[in-house]
């Protein structure tokens, strides 16, 4: 499954300091797009941090979760799309559950983690 061509979608809304799994991530930009396909409305979300694209998630507006997702490597290539939503870990500045959020770690299909925080992006 290739990542969707967002030029075929219409911008719907943009959220800054977007939440992931209910947790606001400073600097995370989420852009949402829609496209009519027959009687259904396709939806795609593009997430970036510090101007660097991190992830695409797409599916249908009438479904509660994303149908597919793909993680982008810091080198600029897209890992293969997988079914369902991405596996994401919220990064914090410390071990406490209420420590400030600094970024995200996204799991690739091969099990590696790609991390991105407000000041840098790296693979671990």
């Amino acid at each position: 499954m290739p990542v969707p061509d967002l030029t075929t979608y219409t911008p719907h809304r943009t959220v800054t300091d977007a939440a992931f799994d209910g947790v606001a991530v400073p600097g995370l930009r989420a852009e949402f797009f829609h496209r009519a396909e027959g009687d259904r409305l396709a939806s795609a979300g593009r997430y970036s941090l510090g101007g660097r694209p991190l992830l695409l998630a797409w599916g249908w507006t009438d479904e509660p979760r994303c149908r597919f997702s793909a993680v982008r490597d810091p080198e600029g290539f897209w890992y293969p799309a997988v079914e369902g939503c991405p596996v994401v870990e919220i990064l914090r500045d410390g071990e406490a559950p209420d420590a400030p959020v600094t970024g995200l770690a996204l799991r690739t299909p091969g099990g590696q983690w790609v991390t991105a925080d407000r000041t840098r992006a790296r693979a671990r």
Side-chain angles (χ1 to χ4, degrees), residues 32-124:
F32 299 99
F33 302 83
H34 286 165
R35 179 178 72 195
E37 290 190 17
D39 293 340
R40 297 182 84 188
L41 191 59
S43 178
R46 176 174 57 196
Y47 296 82
S48 59
L49 190 65
R52 188 187 123 220
L54 299 175
L55 144 73
L56 281 175
W58 63 98
W60 305 97
T61 59
D62 60 354
E63 294 179 350
R65 306 278 297 174
C66 40
R67 175 79 57 105
F68 299 100
S69 61
V71 173
R72 188 171 170 104
D73 184 83
E75 299 297 319
F77 68 88
W78 290 101
Y79 285 96
V82 297
E83 286 189 34
C85 295
V87 176
V88 176
E89 177 183 312
I90 302 295
L91 302 177
R92 296 181 178 273
D93 186 19
E95 298 295 320
D98 61 346
V101 173
T102 60
L104 299 172
L106 305 156
R107 195 170 127 176
T108 70
Q112 302 93 347
W113 289 90
V114 174
T115 61
D117 65 29
R118 290 178 287 179
T119 60
R120 65 187 181 286
R122 65 188 185 284
R124 68 171 174 159

